[in-house]
Each structure stands twice: as C-alpha cells, then as structure tokens.
C-alpha cells in the first residue's frame, strides 16, 4: 500500500483492515523476504512499551516521517491488521513514538509527547475494548512537570492492580531528570515529582512491571556523549524504592541519586554504557541488556541478571558501529531487547562484517555465559534495527519480531518502515 492510500482513513483516523494472507498472496509457503507492515515508521528505545499483546491482539505504536502518531492492531485469530492515526503533523522526531497501555477493561490508552519541548504530554483512549477501529476519545493533556526548560520526553506507563489500579506515568522532565505522576482513576493526575536526580546531567531510564505490585527500573547517570556512564537498578513496591536484595532506599517521590541504587555495571576503568531493556525472569529477578563502547565505532552488547544474591554480567556479542549517518549520535547501536516472557532470549541488531545491520534472535542456556543465534534478516542492502518483541506475546510466530528497516540519516530524518514476522514466521505487509 502506498503512503497516499495509507493516509486515507475514516473520521476516527482508522486506516481499515487487511488480511495478512491476502497481502502475501498465499496461504502456503513462507514468503521470500520480509515486507513492511507500515510504509513509514520509527521508534526510539526509551519510552514505551512500544508494542504489547493482550488476549488475541497485538498492538504497536510508531511515528511516521510525516508526523503521524499511529497505532496498529493485529488479530492473531483472523490474521487481520488495522491502523488508527491518533495525531497528525506532530514533531518529526523518533523520540516521540507512542507508549501503548491496555486498561483492565481491554481498551487501549496511548501516550506520546514531543522531544524536550514545552508542549503538553498527550494521551487518548479507544472507545471499545480490543478494537482500535471503533473510535477514540478526544486527546487529553498532562501539563504537570518538574521545573526547567526541557519540557517532556519519553513516556512510559505502568499500572498496579495491588494498588487498586493506580497508574504511574514516567517521563524525562523539564530539568532533564526522570519524573512521574500518578492517578487513581479518571484523568486527575498528581503533581509531577522527581524519580532520580543527577544535577546537570540526564539519566536514561528503562522500566518494566509485573502489573501487580512492582516496577523495576534500570538507568544510567547521564548521556554517554557527556558522561562516562554506568548502569544502575532499583525497584518500587508498596510505596518505596529498594535495591535488588530488598534493602529499602526510601519513599517513592523522594528523588534518589545513582549512588543509592545497585550499580549493575561500573564504568570506572571500563567502557561507557547505555541501557537498552529490562525484564524479569520466572523468579521475578531483574534481567538487563545494555550496550557498552570500547570506542564510539565499536559497540558491544551485554547481559546482566540478578541471581538472587548478586549481579551476573556477561558479554553477548560485538555490534559494530552507530546507525546514525549524520555522526551526531555515535552511541546509537542497532539495538537489543529482551523477550519479556523468556528473558533468556534477546533480539538484537548488529553490523555484519563489511555489510549493514541485521536483526538476529539469540538465546542463552546458562544465564548469559554462552550464546547461540539465528538470523531474522540477512544480506540486506539497508539497515535493520531496533528489534522488539511485544510484551505479553509468547512463541516465535506472528508479530514475534518487530523492527525498523531502511535508512537512518538522523533521529529527525529517518527513512524507515516498520517490519514484522507474519503468521508461521512469514513476513507480511500492508
């Protein structure tokens, strides 16, 4: 489908539905090569989740190169794909990709914001559960923020059933440090508070939640372009932040410094680093993946996990150079993420010798000490980057690998599509 056709939609911004089998032109053998499910789209790895699975549907969000905030829905029973445009003419910057949240009643709630600009944080809810084509409530705004000049960036949402469904919304605040607000229902949000404070720097945070009573955080002490960055960890439960061994740090809302958290990776005398993903294993112990940089042109992926007593940290593989063609972001790796249902499995993008970045699935049988991998893409003439598996999706079938393909001049000049594996591991397109 060309981009003009993609932009045609109903009054609710819905692009309609299409059968994956029809798009493939076959219901038999696998297709020869991956094809896009969105002709234009990009996402950053902070904020999110950018894709989730709930019951029979997978939902994903992305930003097009014309500034459309888009949500897609894949029905695993009918193999049908639908799209909804939630906003148009938004700032074209891949930092602005939407975060997807499924409410307890099955409706979607989608959050997005601009990149360090003093405009509000936005969110919308679908009118119907499990259906993005049934219309959306009008956009709402959140205007509370910390004090500073850098606006809002990177939205991430968590909801805890043990706290009567309280929602926690996190973002990078106006002072460049992580902030949050909460609501116990409706659209009344508490005044913004700081989560982490590193004066003069901008910590980067990834989080995950069990949806019941715990939120896990992995973060840096700054941007690797500005600071020789290490990786840290805390978790939230019952009103307080804790270290991995259960030691209480203090109440949520009293900002912490990195020195109060677990230092998972100490960059002292070692290469600087950048966090990519956090999940939990079957014991609800945290698992992290991150990149470190012996040189800005030499990226490596690493895997760290809490074994119940100590942090275990292992090298996975070399990853090549930055994907950012303008040279301004030398630490933009191809990307690595965890399978949240099986964090012994990672999806990663690394640069092939003499070639482009390719997406691969790697697995460890022994907590990260050894690894085996298999290709998702190969012999590509373009970049394949920032792979992700929807949170809540099991197995390696339809939608189990999502990624960006194309060219990446910069985070404001991306020319990428959103790709996916289709039914039975086949690729499909819209």
């Amino acid at each position: 489908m060309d981009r003009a056709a993609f932009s045609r939609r109903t009054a609710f911004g819905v692009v309609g539905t299409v059968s994956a089998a029809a798009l493939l032109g076959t219901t038999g053998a696998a297709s020869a090569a991956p094809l896009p499910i969105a002709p234009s789209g990009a996402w950053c790895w902070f904020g999110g989740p950018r894709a989730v699975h709930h019951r029979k549907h997978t939902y994903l969000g992305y930003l097009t190169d014309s500034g459309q905030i888009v949500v897609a829905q894949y029905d695993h029973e009918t193999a049908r794909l639908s799209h909804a445009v939630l906003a148009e003419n938004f700032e074209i910057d891949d930092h602005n990709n939407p975060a997807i949240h499924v409410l307890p009643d099955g409706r979607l709630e989608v959050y997005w914001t601009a990149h360090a600009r003093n405009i509000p944080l936005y969110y919308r809810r679908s009118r119907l559960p499990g259906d993005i084509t049934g219309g959306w409530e009008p956009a709402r705004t959140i205007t509370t923020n910390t004090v500073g000049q850098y606006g809002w960036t990177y939205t991430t949402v968590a909801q805890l059933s043990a706290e009567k469904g309280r929602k926690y919304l996190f973002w990078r605040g106006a002072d460049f440090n992580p902030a949050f607000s909460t609501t116990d229902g409706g659209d009344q949000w508490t005044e913004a508070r700081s989560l982490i404070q590193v004066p003069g720097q901008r910590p980067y945070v990834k989080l995950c939640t069990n949806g019941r009573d715990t939120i896990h955080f992995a973060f840096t002490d700054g941007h690797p372009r500005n600071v020789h960055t290490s990786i840290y960890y805390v978790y939230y439960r019952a009103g307080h932040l804790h270290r991995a061994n259960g030691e209480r740090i203090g109440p949520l809302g009293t900002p912490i410094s990195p020195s109060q958290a677990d230092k998972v990776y100490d960059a002292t005398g070692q290469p600087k680093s950048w966090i990519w993903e956090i999940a939990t294993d079957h014991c609800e112990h945290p698992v992290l993946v991150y990149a470190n940089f012996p040189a800005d042109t030499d990226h490596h992926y690493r895997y760290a996990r809490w074994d119940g007593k100590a942090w275990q940290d292992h090298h996975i593989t070399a990853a090549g150079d930055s994907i950012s063609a303008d040279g301004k972001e030398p630490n933009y790796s191809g990307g690595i993420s965890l399978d949240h249902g099986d964090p012994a499995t990672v999806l990663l993008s690394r640069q092939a010798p003499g070639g482009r970045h390719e997406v691969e699935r790697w697995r460890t049988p022994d907590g990260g000490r050894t690894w085996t991998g298999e290709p998702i893409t190969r012999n590509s003439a373009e970049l394949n980057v920032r792979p992700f598996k929807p949170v809540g999706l099991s197995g390696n079938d339809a939608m189990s690998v999502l990624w960006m393909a194309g060219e990446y001049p910069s985070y404001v000049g991306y020319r990428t599509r959103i790709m996916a594996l289709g039914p039975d591991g086949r690729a499909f397109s819209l």
Side-chain angles (χ1 to χ4, degrees):
M1 181 178 287
D2 63 26
R3 295 187 188 183
F6 180 81
S7 295
R8 292 194 293 269
R9 61 200 183 283
T10 73
F12 294 122
V14 174
V15 179
T17 61
V18 63
S19 163
L23 291 165
L24 285 165
T26 178
T27 57
S31 60
L35 294 170
I37 63 166
S40 172
W43 48 45
C44 186
W45 70 101
F46 294 105
R50 53 194 183 271
V52 299
H53 179 78
H54 181 71
R55 296 177 180 168
K56 68 172 186 173
H57 293 124
T58 290
Y59 307 96
L60 62 145
Y62 53 90
L63 179 75
T64 71
D65 62 5
S66 64
Q68 291 179 323
I69 302 292
V70 183
V71 176
Q73 172 183 300
Y74 178 76
D75 187 316
H76 287 260
E77 292 182 356
T78 65
R80 297 186 74 83
L81 190 67
S82 307
H83 291 76
V85 178
L86 302 192
E88 299 200 62
N89 301 313
F90 205 68
E91 178 189 43
I92 301 169
D93 183 323
D94 72 11
H95 293 67
N96 305 342
N97 66 275
I100 309 294
H101 177 61
V102 181
L103 294 167
D105 64 7
R107 291 182 301 153
L108 252 62
E109 200 166 62
V110 180
Y111 296 81
W112 71 95
T113 189
H115 181 194
R117 292 181 60 188
N118 283 307
I119 62 175
L121 189 157
Y122 297 91
Y123 66 105
R124 295 184 74 176
R125 296 189 190 98
S126 63
R127 295 188 184 276
L128 300 176
D131 184 6
I132 68 169
T133 68
W136 291 76
E137 295 177 5
R140 293 175 168 85
T141 59
I142 296 173
T143 58
T144 184
N145 205 351
T146 50
V147 177
Q149 61 180 319
Y150 299 109
W152 293 259
T153 313
Y154 305 131
T155 53
T156 308
V157 62
Q159 188 166 16
L160 300 183
S161 61
E163 297 187 4
K164 299 181 179 180
R166 177 175 292 163
K167 279 183 286 189
Y168 291 80
L169 183 65
F170 299 90
W171 67 91
R172 189 174 72 190
D175 60 354
F176 256 177
N177 279 255
F180 72 98
S181 177
T182 67
T183 180
D184 291 329
D187 300 295
Q188 299 300 313
W189 293 88
T190 60
E191 184 177 349
R193 290 176 285 171
S194 293
L195 176 68
I196 300 158
Q197 274 290 316
V198 185
Q201 301 300 332
R202 43 179 160 165
Y204 284 78
V205 180
K206 290 290 292 186
L207 67 88
C208 70
T209 178
N210 63 7
R212 185 178 66 255
D213 61 359
T214 306
I215 306 172
H216 301 265
F217 303 91
F219 61 97
T220 69
D221 44 4
H223 191 299
R225 188 173 55 227
N226 308 122
V227 180
H228 203 74
T229 39
S230 297
I231 304 289
Y232 302 85
Y233 167 83
V234 296
Y235 72 87
Y236 164 81
R237 186 180 296 150
H240 289 80
L241 295 173
H242 306 258
R243 298 178 62 140
N245 64 3
E247 177 186 343
R248 182 182 291 185
I249 298 172
L252 183 68
T254 299
I256 65 167
S257 67
S259 63
Q260 294 174 275
D262 280 15
K263 183 178 279 190
V264 179
Y265 171 75
D266 187 349
T268 305
Q270 302 292 326
K272 62 187 179 181
S273 61
W274 217 349
I275 187 65
W276 269 87
E277 187 76 272
I278 182 170
T280 55
D281 64 17
H282 66 281
C283 296
E284 293 204 26
H285 293 157
V287 180
L288 287 61
V289 286
Y290 63 97
N292 73 358
F293 312 96
D296 282 344
T297 56
D298 182 20
H299 301 198
H300 288 250
Y301 296 137
R302 299 189 65 89
Y303 181 91
R305 65 183 183 89
W306 176 256
D307 67 4
K309 296 181 180 179
W311 287 98
Q312 306 297 329
D313 191 331
H314 300 283
H315 182 260
I316 304 174
T317 184
D321 202 348
S322 171
I323 67 170
S324 186
D326 66 0
K328 295 180 180 179
E329 297 291 350
N331 303 121
Y332 273 22
S333 306
I336 183 169
S337 63
L338 290 156
D339 182 334
H340 284 247
D342 176 19
T345 300
V346 303
L347 296 172
L348 60 84
S349 168
R350 62 175 181 151
Q351 189 173 18
R356 308 305 301 271
H357 283 74
E358 306 283 7
V359 172
E360 300 170 347
R361 183 190 290 118
W362 285 52
R363 180 168 176 79
T364 177
D366 51 17
R369 287 184 288 274
T370 62
W371 293 86
T372 56
E374 60 176 334
I376 303 297
T377 67
R378 65 178 80 195
N379 302 322
S380 301
E382 61 184 0
L383 296 171
N384 295 277
V385 298
R386 296 183 180 170
F388 188 74
K389 182 174 183 178
V391 176
L393 181 63
S394 60
N396 294 324
D397 204 346
M399 304 295 283
S400 62
V401 186
L402 306 170
W403 71 98
M404 294 161 46
E407 300 302 332
Y408 194 87
S410 73
Y411 62 75
V412 295
Y414 49 86
R415 300 193 299 272
T416 52
R417 310 177 304 284
I418 302 298
M419 313 287 284
L421 291 186
D424 302 318
R426 297 172 294 170
F428 68 102
S429 73
L430 178 63

